[in-house]
Amino acid sequence: MALWIGQMMARIPILLPPIDGANDAPEVVDPNGLPDRSNNDSDDFTGGSSLDIGALFTDVDVEPLTFTITGLPDGLTADAAGVVSGTIDSSASANSPQPNGVYPVTVEVSDGTVTTTVTFNWTVGNPPPDAQDDTYS
């Protein structure tokens, strides 16, 4: 590129990123990966309280992403856009595949060509009972 100033010409270098044509894999937005989650039995992820795992990923090639999420706590499902919904089963903490209510969740994200796999733990606890005043009347 040349820049003309009066009768003088200066050359200004323009730096462009290299273009290699390779399809880059989808990536987790947070450099620390997907955070582990903790919820209780019977927690609700329906209506406006669904969990959008798809929003935690990006693709530098700006290709549409599809998600396959496995290992979710009992009662939850995920769609191809990465949205988790449902109500955690009331006994999910006792039925987890690992001790202490831990569900190892696997998220596979594909841009149609390249797939990225990320895992995180979702721990489901059994909430303590809600104590009521037991005074005698």
mmCIF file with all atom_site columns, all heavy atoms in Angstrom, residues 28-44:
data_model
loop_
_atom_site.group_PDB
_atom_site.id
_atom_site.type_symbol
_atom_site.label_atom_id
_atom_site.label_alt_id
_atom_site.label_comp_id
_atom_site.label_asym_id
_atom_site.label_entity_id
_atom_site.label_seq_id
_atom_site.pdbx_PDB_ins_code
_atom_site.Cartn_x
_atom_site.Cartn_y
_atom_site.Cartn_z
_atom_site.occupancy
_atom_site.B_iso_or_equiv
_atom_site.pdbx_formal_charge
_atom_site.auth_seq_id
_atom_site.auth_comp_id
_atom_site.auth_asym_id
_atom_site.auth_atom_id
_atom_site.pdbx_PDB_model_num
ATOM 1   N N   . VAL A 1 28 ? -14.145 -24.029 23.433 1.00 0.00 ? 28 VAL A N   1
ATOM 2   C CA  . VAL A 1 28 ? -14.840 -23.501 24.602 1.00 0.00 ? 28 VAL A CA  1
ATOM 3   C C   . VAL A 1 28 ? -14.434 -22.039 24.743 1.00 0.00 ? 28 VAL A C   1
ATOM 4   O O   . VAL A 1 28 ? -13.261 -21.691 24.604 1.00 0.00 ? 28 VAL A O   1
ATOM 5   C CB  . VAL A 1 28 ? -14.445 -24.275 25.874 1.00 0.00 ? 28 VAL A CB  1
ATOM 6   C CG1 . VAL A 1 28 ? -15.144 -23.706 27.102 1.00 0.00 ? 28 VAL A CG1 1
ATOM 7   C CG2 . VAL A 1 28 ? -14.758 -25.749 25.717 1.00 0.00 ? 28 VAL A CG2 1
ATOM 8   N N   . VAL A 1 29 ? -15.404 -21.159 24.976 1.00 0.00 ? 29 VAL A N   1
ATOM 9   C CA  . VAL A 1 29 ? -15.126 -19.729 25.093 1.00 0.00 ? 29 VAL A CA  1
ATOM 10  C C   . VAL A 1 29 ? -14.201 -19.446 26.271 1.00 0.00 ? 29 VAL A C   1
ATOM 11  O O   . VAL A 1 29 ? -13.253 -18.671 26.155 1.00 0.00 ? 29 VAL A O   1
ATOM 12  C CB  . VAL A 1 29 ? -16.451 -18.928 25.242 1.00 0.00 ? 29 VAL A CB  1
ATOM 13  C CG1 . VAL A 1 29 ? -16.178 -17.471 25.525 1.00 0.00 ? 29 VAL A CG1 1
ATOM 14  C CG2 . VAL A 1 29 ? -17.298 -19.090 23.991 1.00 0.00 ? 29 VAL A CG2 1
ATOM 15  N N   . ASP A 1 30 ? -14.436 -20.072 27.419 1.00 0.00 ? 30 ASP A N   1
ATOM 16  C CA  . ASP A 1 30 ? -13.622 -19.865 28.618 1.00 0.00 ? 30 ASP A CA  1
ATOM 17  C C   . ASP A 1 30 ? -12.333 -20.676 28.492 1.00 0.00 ? 30 ASP A C   1
ATOM 18  O O   . ASP A 1 30 ? -12.381 -21.896 28.309 1.00 0.00 ? 30 ASP A O   1
ATOM 19  C CB  . ASP A 1 30 ? -14.397 -20.308 29.858 1.00 0.00 ? 30 ASP A CB  1
ATOM 20  C CG  . ASP A 1 30 ? -13.687 -20.020 31.161 1.00 0.00 ? 30 ASP A CG  1
ATOM 21  O OD1 . ASP A 1 30 ? -12.447 -19.827 31.173 1.00 0.00 ? 30 ASP A OD1 1
ATOM 22  O OD2 . ASP A 1 30 ? -14.373 -19.978 32.202 1.00 0.00 ? 30 ASP A OD2 1
ATOM 23  N N   . PRO A 1 31 ? -11.159 -20.039 28.600 1.00 0.00 ? 31 PRO A N   1
ATOM 24  C CA  . PRO A 1 31 ? -9.903  -20.779 28.460 1.00 0.00 ? 31 PRO A CA  1
ATOM 25  C C   . PRO A 1 31 ? -9.708  -21.851 29.535 1.00 0.00 ? 31 PRO A C   1
ATOM 26  O O   . PRO A 1 31 ? -8.888  -22.740 29.383 1.00 0.00 ? 31 PRO A O   1
ATOM 27  C CB  . PRO A 1 31 ? -8.822  -19.697 28.549 1.00 0.00 ? 31 PRO A CB  1
ATOM 28  C CG  . PRO A 1 31 ? -9.480  -18.513 29.143 1.00 0.00 ? 31 PRO A CG  1
ATOM 29  C CD  . PRO A 1 31 ? -10.944 -18.619 28.840 1.00 0.00 ? 31 PRO A CD  1
ATOM 30  N N   . ASN A 1 32 ? -10.477 -21.783 30.626 1.00 0.00 ? 32 ASN A N   1
ATOM 31  C CA  . ASN A 1 32 ? -10.381 -22.787 31.688 1.00 0.00 ? 32 ASN A CA  1
ATOM 32  C C   . ASN A 1 32 ? -11.263 -24.002 31.420 1.00 0.00 ? 32 ASN A C   1
ATOM 33  O O   . ASN A 1 32 ? -11.325 -24.913 32.231 1.00 0.00 ? 32 ASN A O   1
ATOM 34  C CB  . ASN A 1 32 ? -10.762 -22.166 33.038 1.00 0.00 ? 32 ASN A CB  1
ATOM 35  C CG  . ASN A 1 32 ? -9.792  -21.075 33.427 1.00 0.00 ? 32 ASN A CG  1
ATOM 36  O OD1 . ASN A 1 32 ? -8.588  -21.223 33.283 1.00 0.00 ? 32 ASN A OD1 1
ATOM 37  N ND2 . ASN A 1 32 ? -10.318 -19.963 33.890 1.00 0.00 ? 32 ASN A ND2 1
ATOM 38  N N   . GLY A 1 33 ? -11.975 -24.012 30.300 1.00 0.00 ? 33 GLY A N   1
ATOM 39  C CA  . GLY A 1 33 ? -12.843 -25.131 29.970 1.00 0.00 ? 33 GLY A CA  1
ATOM 40  C C   . GLY A 1 33 ? -14.237 -24.951 30.547 1.00 0.00 ? 33 GLY A C   1
ATOM 41  O O   . GLY A 1 33 ? -14.598 -23.875 31.023 1.00 0.00 ? 33 GLY A O   1
ATOM 42  N N   . LEU A 1 34 ? -15.024 -26.002 30.490 1.00 0.00 ? 34 LEU A N   1
ATOM 43  C CA  . LEU A 1 34 ? -16.374 -25.950 31.034 1.00 0.00 ? 34 LEU A CA  1
ATOM 44  C C   . LEU A 1 34 ? -16.307 -26.104 32.553 1.00 0.00 ? 34 LEU A C   1
ATOM 45  O O   . LEU A 1 34 ? -15.644 -27.008 33.055 1.00 0.00 ? 34 LEU A O   1
ATOM 46  C CB  . LEU A 1 34 ? -17.242 -27.065 30.454 1.00 0.00 ? 34 LEU A CB  1
ATOM 47  C CG  . LEU A 1 34 ? -17.602 -26.952 28.985 1.00 0.00 ? 34 LEU A CG  1
ATOM 48  C CD1 . LEU A 1 34 ? -18.455 -28.146 28.566 1.00 0.00 ? 34 LEU A CD1 1
ATOM 49  C CD2 . LEU A 1 34 ? -18.343 -25.665 28.707 1.00 0.00 ? 34 LEU A CD2 1
ATOM 50  N N   . PRO A 1 35 ? -17.005 -25.241 33.273 1.00 0.00 ? 35 PRO A N   1
ATOM 51  C CA  . PRO A 1 35 ? -16.981 -25.367 34.732 1.00 0.00 ? 35 PRO A CA  1
ATOM 52  C C   . PRO A 1 35 ? -17.834 -26.543 35.200 1.00 0.00 ? 35 PRO A C   1
ATOM 53  O O   . PRO A 1 35 ? -18.839 -26.881 34.568 1.00 0.00 ? 35 PRO A O   1
ATOM 54  C CB  . PRO A 1 35 ? -17.582 -24.042 35.206 1.00 0.00 ? 35 PRO A CB  1
ATOM 55  C CG  . PRO A 1 35 ? -18.454 -23.603 34.088 1.00 0.00 ? 35 PRO A CG  1
ATOM 56  C CD  . PRO A 1 35 ? -17.792 -24.106 32.824 1.00 0.00 ? 35 PRO A CD  1
ATOM 57  N N   . ASP A 1 36 ? -17.421 -27.171 36.298 1.00 0.00 ? 36 ASP A N   1
ATOM 58  C CA  . ASP A 1 36 ? -18.253 -28.194 36.905 1.00 0.00 ? 36 ASP A CA  1
ATOM 59  C C   . ASP A 1 36 ? -19.518 -27.528 37.441 1.00 0.00 ? 36 ASP A C   1
ATOM 60  O O   . ASP A 1 36 ? -19.524 -26.334 37.748 1.00 0.00 ? 36 ASP A O   1
ATOM 61  C CB  . ASP A 1 36 ? -17.494 -28.886 38.047 1.00 0.00 ? 36 ASP A CB  1
ATOM 62  C CG  . ASP A 1 36 ? -16.381 -29.789 37.539 1.00 0.00 ? 36 ASP A CG  1
ATOM 63  O OD1 . ASP A 1 36 ? -16.383 -30.138 36.337 1.00 0.00 ? 36 ASP A OD1 1
ATOM 64  O OD2 . ASP A 1 36 ? -15.503 -30.144 38.339 1.00 0.00 ? 36 ASP A OD2 1
ATOM 65  N N   . ARG A 1 37 ? -20.592 -28.305 37.545 1.00 0.00 ? 37 ARG A N   1
ATOM 66  C CA  . ARG A 1 37 ? -21.882 -27.775 38.021 1.00 0.00 ? 37 ARG A CA  1
ATOM 67  C C   . ARG A 1 37 ? -22.318 -28.534 39.258 1.00 0.00 ? 37 ARG A C   1
ATOM 68  O O   . ARG A 1 37 ? -21.969 -29.696 39.439 1.00 0.00 ? 37 ARG A O   1
ATOM 69  C CB  . ARG A 1 37 ? -22.950 -27.925 36.947 1.00 0.00 ? 37 ARG A CB  1
ATOM 70  C CG  . ARG A 1 37 ? -22.700 -27.050 35.733 1.00 0.00 ? 37 ARG A CG  1
ATOM 71  C CD  . ARG A 1 37 ? -23.924 -26.925 34.880 1.00 0.00 ? 37 ARG A CD  1
ATOM 72  N NE  . ARG A 1 37 ? -25.109 -26.545 35.619 1.00 0.00 ? 37 ARG A NE  1
ATOM 73  C CZ  . ARG A 1 37 ? -25.494 -25.276 35.844 1.00 0.00 ? 37 ARG A CZ  1
ATOM 74  N NH1 . ARG A 1 37 ? -24.770 -24.289 35.401 1.00 0.00 ? 37 ARG A NH1 1
ATOM 75  N NH2 . ARG A 1 37 ? -26.599 -25.022 36.507 1.00 0.00 ? 37 ARG A NH2 1
ATOM 76  N N   . SER A 1 38 ? -23.125 -27.868 40.077 1.00 0.00 ? 38 SER A N   1
ATOM 77  C CA  . SER A 1 38 ? -23.731 -28.496 41.250 1.00 0.00 ? 38 SER A CA  1
ATOM 78  C C   . SER A 1 38 ? -25.181 -28.056 41.347 1.00 0.00 ? 38 SER A C   1
ATOM 79  O O   . SER A 1 38 ? -25.472 -26.860 41.254 1.00 0.00 ? 38 SER A O   1
ATOM 80  C CB  . SER A 1 38 ? -22.999 -28.091 42.531 1.00 0.00 ? 38 SER A CB  1
ATOM 81  O OG  . SER A 1 38 ? -21.701 -28.607 42.540 1.00 0.00 ? 38 SER A OG  1
ATOM 82  N N   . ASN A 1 39 ? -26.055 -29.023 41.500 1.00 0.00 ? 39 ASN A N   1
ATOM 83  C CA  . ASN A 1 39 ? -27.473 -28.761 41.697 1.00 0.00 ? 39 ASN A CA  1
ATOM 84  C C   . ASN A 1 39 ? -28.020 -29.799 42.663 1.00 0.00 ? 39 ASN A C   1
ATOM 85  O O   . ASN A 1 39 ? -27.314 -30.733 43.048 1.00 0.00 ? 39 ASN A O   1
ATOM 86  C CB  . ASN A 1 39 ? -28.238 -28.834 40.371 1.00 0.00 ? 39 ASN A CB  1
ATOM 87  C CG  . ASN A 1 39 ? -27.936 -27.657 39.479 1.00 0.00 ? 39 ASN A CG  1
ATOM 88  O OD1 . ASN A 1 39 ? -27.033 -27.719 38.647 1.00 0.00 ? 39 ASN A OD1 1
ATOM 89  N ND2 . ASN A 1 39 ? -28.667 -26.570 39.652 1.00 0.00 ? 39 ASN A ND2 1
ATOM 90  N N   . ASN A 1 40 ? -29.287 -29.646 43.036 1.00 0.00 ? 40 ASN A N   1
ATOM 91  C CA  . ASN A 1 40 ? -29.944 -30.592 43.932 1.00 0.00 ? 40 ASN A CA  1
ATOM 92  C C   . ASN A 1 40 ? -30.977 -31.424 43.187 1.00 0.00 ? 40 ASN A C   1
ATOM 93  O O   . ASN A 1 40 ? -31.444 -31.042 42.114 1.00 0.00 ? 40 ASN A O   1
ATOM 94  C CB  . ASN A 1 40 ? -30.630 -29.848 45.082 1.00 0.00 ? 40 ASN A CB  1
ATOM 95  C CG  . ASN A 1 40 ? -29.631 -29.327 46.087 1.00 0.00 ? 40 ASN A CG  1
ATOM 96  O OD1 . ASN A 1 40 ? -28.627 -29.969 46.366 1.00 0.00 ? 40 ASN A OD1 1
ATOM 97  N ND2 . ASN A 1 40 ? -29.896 -28.157 46.622 1.00 0.00 ? 40 ASN A ND2 1
ATOM 98  N N   . ASP A 1 41 ? -31.330 -32.551 43.808 1.00 0.00 ? 41 ASP A N   1
ATOM 99  C CA  . ASP A 1 41 ? -32.443 -33.344 43.303 1.00 0.00 ? 41 ASP A CA  1
ATOM 100 C C   . ASP A 1 41 ? -33.637 -32.423 43.083 1.00 0.00 ? 41 ASP A C   1
ATOM 101 O O   . ASP A 1 41 ? -33.869 -31.491 43.863 1.00 0.00 ? 41 ASP A O   1
ATOM 102 C CB  . ASP A 1 41 ? -32.834 -34.425 44.322 1.00 0.00 ? 41 ASP A CB  1
ATOM 103 C CG  . ASP A 1 41 ? -31.812 -35.545 44.439 1.00 0.00 ? 41 ASP A CG  1
ATOM 104 O OD1 . ASP A 1 41 ? -31.117 -35.831 43.449 1.00 0.00 ? 41 ASP A OD1 1
ATOM 105 O OD2 . ASP A 1 41 ? -31.720 -36.144 45.528 1.00 0.00 ? 41 ASP A OD2 1
ATOM 106 N N   . SER A 1 42 ? -34.374 -32.666 42.018 1.00 0.00 ? 42 SER A N   1
ATOM 107 C CA  . SER A 1 42 ? -35.614 -31.958 41.675 1.00 0.00 ? 42 SER A CA  1
ATOM 108 C C   . SER A 1 42 ? -35.419 -30.518 41.217 1.00 0.00 ? 42 SER A C   1
ATOM 109 O O   . SER A 1 42 ? -36.406 -29.804 41.030 1.00 0.00 ? 42 SER A O   1
ATOM 110 C CB  . SER A 1 42 ? -36.619 -32.000 42.838 1.00 0.00 ? 42 SER A CB  1
ATOM 111 O OG  . SER A 1 42 ? -36.937 -33.343 43.161 1.00 0.00 ? 42 SER A OG  1
ATOM 112 N N   . ASP A 1 43 ? -34.166 -30.061 41.013 1.00 0.00 ? 43 ASP A N   1
ATOM 113 C CA  . ASP A 1 43 ? -33.971 -28.715 40.451 1.00 0.00 ? 43 ASP A CA  1
ATOM 114 C C   . ASP A 1 43 ? -34.554 -28.683 39.041 1.00 0.00 ? 43 ASP A C   1
ATOM 115 O O   . ASP A 1 43 ? -34.439 -29.646 38.279 1.00 0.00 ? 43 ASP A O   1
ATOM 116 C CB  . ASP A 1 43 ? -32.495 -28.320 40.428 1.00 0.00 ? 43 ASP A CB  1
ATOM 117 C CG  . ASP A 1 43 ? -32.012 -27.802 41.781 1.00 0.00 ? 43 ASP A CG  1
ATOM 118 O OD1 . ASP A 1 43 ? -32.827 -27.704 42.720 1.00 0.00 ? 43 ASP A OD1 1
ATOM 119 O OD2 . ASP A 1 43 ? -30.808 -27.491 41.881 1.00 0.00 ? 43 ASP A OD2 1
ATOM 120 N N   . ASP A 1 44 ? -35.165 -27.561 38.706 1.00 0.00 ? 44 ASP A N   1
ATOM 121 C CA  . ASP A 1 44 ? -35.936 -27.416 37.476 1.00 0.00 ? 44 ASP A CA  1
ATOM 122 C C   . ASP A 1 44 ? -35.173 -26.623 36.410 1.00 0.00 ? 44 ASP A C   1
ATOM 123 O O   . ASP A 1 44 ? -34.654 -25.543 36.694 1.00 0.00 ? 44 ASP A O   1
ATOM 124 C CB  . ASP A 1 44 ? -37.254 -26.714 37.809 1.00 0.00 ? 44 ASP A CB  1
ATOM 125 C CG  . ASP A 1 44 ? -38.187 -26.633 36.631 1.00 0.00 ? 44 ASP A CG  1
ATOM 126 O OD1 . ASP A 1 44 ? -38.142 -27.521 35.765 1.00 0.00 ? 44 ASP A OD1 1
ATOM 127 O OD2 . ASP A 1 44 ? -38.990 -25.682 36.591 1.00 0.00 ? 44 ASP A OD2 1
#
